[in-house]
Amino acid sequence: MSATIRVEAAVPVPARPASASEERRHPWWKVMCLTGVDYFSTLGYQPGIAAVAAGVLSPVATLVLVALTLFGALPVYRRVAEESPHGQGSIAMLERLLPNWAGKLFVLVLLGFAATDFMITITLSAADATAHVVENPHVPAVLHGHEVLITLGLLVLLAAVFLRGFTEAIGVAVALVVVYLALNVVVIAVAFAHVLGQPHVVGDWSRAMTAQHGSPVMIVAVAVLVFPKLALGMSGFETGVAVMEHVDGSRDSRGELAGRIRGTKRLLTTAALVMSVFLVTSSLVTTWLIAPRDFADGGPANGRALALLAHRYLGDVFGSAYDLSTIAILWFAGASAMAGLLNLIPRYLPRYGMAPVWANAVRPLVLVLTAIAFGVTVMFRADVNAQGGAYATGVLVLFTSAGVAVTIAARRRRQHRLMTAFAVITVVFAYTTADNVMERPDGVRIGGFFILAILVVSFASRLRRVFEPRATEVHLDPTAQIFVRDCARRTIRLVAHEPGPDTHAEYADKVRQVRRDHDLPTDPDVIFVEVTVTDPSDFEGRVDVTGVVVGDRHRVMRLEASSVPNALAALLLEIRDRTGVIPHVYFEWTEGNPVAQLLRFLVLGLGEVAPVTREVLRRAEPDRERRPHVHVG
């Protein structure tokens, strides 16, 4: 048997990871705290980034960032939550647009950027927490110079929480977010009180803006140009939709799925509104009350502007408490990224055959991701600035892909106004991404490394698993079951046949050929088997077998699968287990170069079927006495 003729595109059906079914779901606000440890923790360094990037225009540039958050990122990801409610995010929406290998490669590239975003979130946040540890005035000087070891210790603690379970991670996140936001309210409120006592700082700031940039139009124009450097303040949306399957929607009258979507929209909206208020107010008070020189490298406000205000206006005791809270939430900011990776990886790579089966389990995957985080931390020596470019690149690429996905979704539903709005937002995201890449090209290089690593590991895993039966279930319809039961009383003989002309003459010719090639009885009792390839880039799935009778005489079992030999092997094993009889299958040799035929099998699921079917059976059933018989003529 050589190639099948019909090739159809299959829409991928997301597999639900084992971890999702093992963990109970939670109210939306608790899940918001898990994603919020990443989003809200940027307050630890965002005011300093804004001050360095925009100077006196920091509050104006922050307002531009907030506008893009509320009127750009938020509507986009609310739509993503509707279109992809099982937590696959915009990646799954784009996967459906490209069938076969093109779609898989596209998804792997996006997963590379997602891995860059999430993994650098883990390592950068832990490194920033370490920076807050060593820069606290009460911390012994002996810790200076040991940033890498401290960061690795924080990563170990983060992994320990996830090894305990997702519920424990949620509980820690809620406590950290509540305490951290409460302390920030105190610091910002006290800072505003000092501004009221020194009203000249506002006037000085206004005059400085006018002196440097002239008219209000120029001020806004320059702020728009520099705001891409503040893009880290938009992180958290992708993880918000990535973990949405953990949102409890069971109390919604419209059903659990609708409740999950509604809860996720609340999660995204609440987080965006809360963060927007904090971003604007923190930018104002830090710009008004902290001298520009203090934001420079090595300055007391570099990466910890609000912490400096806490120590200055509330004393070292409160300041140290604020530092501890900042350290804790920065350490745990990697939790949302870890949760996102634990959700995304099992949804794609095992389904593609591009990861071991154990990748569906939480604990082994946590250990692997922690080991990768160790490598990244050592590579960058726990340097926050060295990782910032890669973090921003990963975030912005995912934002742009989400914008493209929702634009296409709106177009398909003929929602022209929404399509236009999403297209404009996507253009802004694309501009921000391009500006960031030109400013920090190291982010693309790091993202490229993650993409290359995912591609190499994925295809190596696929090659290693290519000879598995790859059928999650084999289902025979009633007619096919009758065929098998009838032949089980004698000898079960299957004849591999290419789908083609559905005529009595076609099958009669095939019977004569099989009898001649294999020296069978004059009127052999056979069942024809025809496999139609769907999407050869898919790895595994359910195989449905349909029985039909052609010409009132010839019995045919037809099935669809991503690979012909693997589907045939799975069918043979299913028939053996159902009947207790060892079946026989008959092939003819395919003409052509065997190397080329092997490549056709690896890429298209076709090629020289007989030897591959036999190899799949050999690996699936080591006992030769119980192995189905393969005949080639």
Side-chain angles (χ1 to χ4, degrees), residues 336-579:
S336 62
M338 181 74 79
L341 286 169
L342 292 175
N343 186 72
L344 280 180
I345 291 176
R347 291 195 177 280
Y348 291 100
L349 297 186
R351 177 162 59 88
Y352 294 174
M354 293 177 172
V357 176
W358 55 258
N360 281 306
V362 170
R363 288 179 175 84
L365 198 52
V366 168
L367 295 176
V368 170
L369 294 175
T370 303
I372 296 172
F374 271 37
V376 172
T377 297
V378 173
M379 182 186 305
F380 291 103
R381 301 191 60 79
D383 188 333
V384 175
N385 293 326
Q387 301 175 66
Y391 183 34
T393 299
V395 170
L396 291 171
V397 168
L398 291 178
F399 274 20
T400 305
S401 70
V404 171
V406 298
T407 300
I408 295 173
R411 181 176 181 273
R412 288 185 166 184
R413 286 173 171 74
R414 301 182 184 278
Q415 299 169 328
H416 298 297
R417 290 184 179 178
L418 271 178
M419 180 191 73
T420 303
F422 286 141
V424 171
I425 294 169
T426 304
V427 170
V428 175
F429 285 154
Y431 155 73
T432 308
T433 305
D435 184 87
N436 188 271
V437 168
M438 288 187 289
E439 179 78 18
R440 306 274 311 260
D442 55 314
V444 173
R445 290 195 290 268
I446 297 169
F449 170 78
F450 274 98
I451 292 170
L452 180 62
I454 285 179
L455 289 174
V456 170
V457 172
S458 296
F459 282 104
S461 176
R462 174 102 179 197
L463 288 174
R464 188 180 65 83
R465 299 183 59 195
V466 75
F467 293 111
E468 295 178 7
R470 294 164 53 177
T472 56
E473 179 186 355
V474 179
H475 177 262
L476 278 67
D477 76 350
T479 304
Q481 293 180 35
I482 292 172
F483 293 167
V484 172
R485 284 199 302 268
D486 180 53
C487 291
R489 294 193 292 266
R490 299 177 294 278
T491 301
I492 302 178
R493 303 183 193 274
L494 305 183
V495 175
H497 183 251
E498 292 187 12
D502 191 3
T503 63
H504 168 73
E506 173 73 18
Y507 293 105
D509 288 343
K510 187 67 176 181
V511 170
R512 284 192 292 270
Q513 177 190 330
V514 170
R515 181 173 62 82
R516 181 178 64 252
D517 290 346
H518 299 281
D519 195 23
L520 294 179
T522 303
D523 190 15
D525 187 15
V526 301
I527 305 173
F528 292 97
V529 184
E530 299 176 347
V531 182
T532 298
V533 174
T534 52
D535 183 348
S537 63
D538 284 341
F539 185 76
E540 62 184 11
R542 168 171 160 153
V543 175
D544 291 304
V545 184
T546 303
V548 297
V549 179
V550 178
D552 296 328
R553 177 176 181 182
H554 302 292
R555 293 168 297 189
V556 184
M557 290 198 296
R558 293 171 177 162
L559 50 149
E560 296 182 345
S562 60
S563 170
V564 175
N566 305 81
L568 290 173
L571 175 62
L572 290 165
L573 293 170
E574 175 68 17
I575 290 174
R576 180 204 64 184
D577 295 341
R578 278 175 175 266
T579 63

Side-chain angles (χ1 to χ4, degrees), residues 97-270:
L97 302 176
L98 294 172
N100 301 325
W101 285 107
K104 301 297 186 294
L105 290 173
F106 186 69
V107 167
L108 290 177
V109 170
L110 287 181
L111 283 176
F113 282 111
T116 303
D117 175 13
F118 293 160
M119 187 56 64
I120 298 297
T121 297
I122 294 171
T123 58
L124 182 146
S125 299
D128 202 25
T130 299
H132 279 74
V133 169
V134 299
E135 290 169 8
N136 184 280
H138 298 291
V139 169
V142 70
L143 292 180
H144 290 264
H146 298 287
E147 286 82 357
V148 173
L149 290 177
I150 298 172
T151 303
L152 294 179
L154 294 175
L155 293 175
V156 170
L157 291 176
L158 179 66
V161 173
F162 275 89
L163 290 174
R164 287 279 299 169
F166 194 87
T167 299
E168 285 75 8
I170 288 277
V172 174
V174 171
L176 290 177
V177 166
V178 169
V179 172
Y180 182 67
L181 292 185
L183 291 177
N184 273 282
V185 168
V186 173
V187 172
I188 293 173
V190 170
F192 268 110
H194 280 271
V195 170
L196 292 176
Q198 309 171 55
H200 65 87
V201 297
V202 179
D204 294 343
W205 168 67
S206 178
R207 284 188 292 273
M209 279 199 303
T210 303
Q212 292 183 24
H213 303 287
S215 68
V217 174
M218 284 302 300
I219 290 174
V220 173
V222 174
V224 169
L225 289 175
V226 301
F227 97 90
K229 297 179 176 130
L230 283 62
L232 291 182
M234 293 195 299
S235 64
F237 283 95
E238 191 69 29
T239 49
V241 294
V243 300
M244 66 179 291
E245 189 160 338
H246 294 285
V247 174
D248 183 12
S250 59
R251 297 182 181 180
D252 195 290
S253 59
R254 297 171 297 173
E256 182 177 353
L257 191 62
R260 183 192 308 160
I261 295 171
R262 189 176 181 181
T264 304
K265 287 183 175 182
R266 288 177 177 173
L267 178 161
L268 296 170
T269 303
T270 303

